[in-house]
Amino acid sequence: MNCGTCGNTCASTAVCESGSCITPKQDCEAPEWASDDAILIANMLSDVRNAEGLSCLQINPFLTQAAQSHADYFANTGELGHYESWESSPWFTGFYLWERLQYAGYLYGGPGAEFLHADSDASTAAQAWIDNPVNNEILLTSSFQDIGIGYANYWVVNFGTPQ
């Protein structure tokens, strides 16, 4: 929809107020077991998605387990990146993300994605992902419905599409 005299184009879920596109904020629910930091990150990332007319990300226990395992791997091996290569490590759960998701028991119907961030507080890590154009594009993948968040000196966030 076009909004205002400047011709802003609003997402289908937005309303036009005084020439600006306003997307009503969705209430995102979080499971009782989720940490305050995980809820903060999920809500910050979901707010960005909501502004584009996309759904909230639901904190998933299997994605959370995979994210936490990958964060533990980083913290204990010092090897950083999207892959795990030290198979003899007791923290190794799979070279590729899809292997780590399977190891954790997440049944996915589409590809997942993973964000990494060095030691910082949850809000700073989430804002860094939001501000990064590549990560923001991934965040706005419409098929992603689930999120898992882990921390052990490094933040790891996994996204997924359930089966």
Side-chain angles (χ1 to χ4, degrees):
M1 126 180 80
N2 286 332
C3 180
T5 57
C6 63
N8 289 338
T9 301
C10 299
S12 61
T13 57
V15 294
C16 183
E17 285 186 17
S18 303
S20 297
C21 300
I22 306 294
T23 302
K25 185 174 178 176
Q26 295 182 25
D27 290 326
C28 302
E29 294 184 26
E32 290 182 20
W33 52 264
S35 71
D36 290 343
D37 283 340
I39 293 169
L40 173 70
I41 289 173
N43 284 337
M44 286 180 70
L45 300 181
S46 288
D47 286 349
V48 172
R49 290 172 56 84
N50 293 166
E52 297 297 322
L54 300 173
S55 65
C56 290
L57 294 163
Q58 302 301 314
I59 300 173
N60 178 283
F62 301 109
L63 282 179
T64 297
Q65 180 182 341
Q68 186 60 54
S69 294
H70 199 48
D72 290 340
Y73 177 85
F74 290 155
N76 288 288
T77 66
E79 180 181 69
L80 303 178
H82 292 281
Y83 308 101
E84 294 181 9
S85 62
W86 190 20
E87 292 185 47
S88 61
S89 165
W91 299 280
F92 179 82
T93 57
F95 183 78
Y96 296 106
L97 174 60
W98 66 267
E99 292 174 316
R100 293 191 297 276
L101 297 183
Q102 283 182 335
Y103 184 86
Y106 185 70
L107 303 176
Y108 57 93
E114 175 175 69
F115 293 169
L116 315 169
H117 195 274
D119 191 20
S120 63
D121 62 47
S123 178
T124 301
Q127 193 61 53
W129 293 319
I130 291 166
D131 293 342
N132 179 300
V134 173
N135 289 341
N136 197 302
E137 185 177 332
I138 293 167
L139 171 63
L140 296 176
T141 301
S142 62
S143 63
F144 291 152
Q145 298 173 25
D146 293 339
I147 188 171
I149 299 139
Y151 178 78
N153 297 330
Y154 299 91
W155 289 100
V156 175
V157 175
N158 291 331
F159 298 95
T161 303
Q163 268 186 341

